[in-house]
Amino acid sequence: MFLGLAMTAIPDSAAAAPKARLVHCGDATCLRISGRRPHAAVVVRIAGQPLVVEGNRSWRATVLLATARDWASVHDGTLTVTLDDARTGGESTEIVVLPPGALGERRELASLIVSAY
């Protein structure tokens, strides 16, 4: 049984860990989530909800922060992103850490790194 599960999993090298950041979308604040997947037919789900994404292997999606808050794990400030490959039957799950303050709580930071893109 273990061998069967190992064969259906999406390889770790095929999908890089997704990332999240806060962005402005009109007058609202949104969460932009981006990541990689083996091919464009792989379905991206967050907290079990199918997500409409832009891109092929490199994908991104922008959701209202209020929606992301509903999906997030309140205890640890994370989202669960699942890549579901219908072609192979494989599935891969990654955890995305939300930016500090995204859930509306205050956190004390030990350090803050600011970079220009």
Side-chain angles (χ1 to χ4, degrees):
M1 182 172 177
F2 175 74
L3 181 59
L5 290 174
M7 292 176 59
T8 61
I10 295 174
D12 289 334
S13 61
K19 297 180 181 181
R21 65 184 177 111
L22 296 173
V23 296
H24 290 286
C25 50
D27 291 336
T29 301
C30 293
L31 187 69
R32 176 158 300 144
I33 306 155
S34 60
R36 296 196 46 83
R37 57 188 173 173
H39 53 83
V42 172
V43 175
V44 178
R45 289 183 280 129
I46 294 184
Q49 303 293 320
L51 193 63
V52 177
V53 299
E54 301 171 7
N56 293 316
R57 288 185 173 186
S58 292
W59 61 268
R60 75 177 189 175
T62 304
V63 297
L64 288 171
L65 186 55
T67 301
R69 285 178 177 159
D70 289 342
W71 292 343
S73 171
V74 177
H75 301 293
D76 59 4
T78 62
L79 289 175
T80 302
V81 176
T82 303
L83 302 177
D84 188 7
D85 190 341
R87 290 183 188 173
T88 65
E91 187 175 273
S92 172
T93 302
E94 296 283 342
I95 301 298
V96 178
V97 177
L98 297 177
L103 295 179
E105 84 286 357
R106 292 179 162 224
R107 289 187 184 173
E108 290 192 30
L109 300 176
S111 66
L112 178 65
I113 299 172
V114 178
S115 62
Y117 284 87

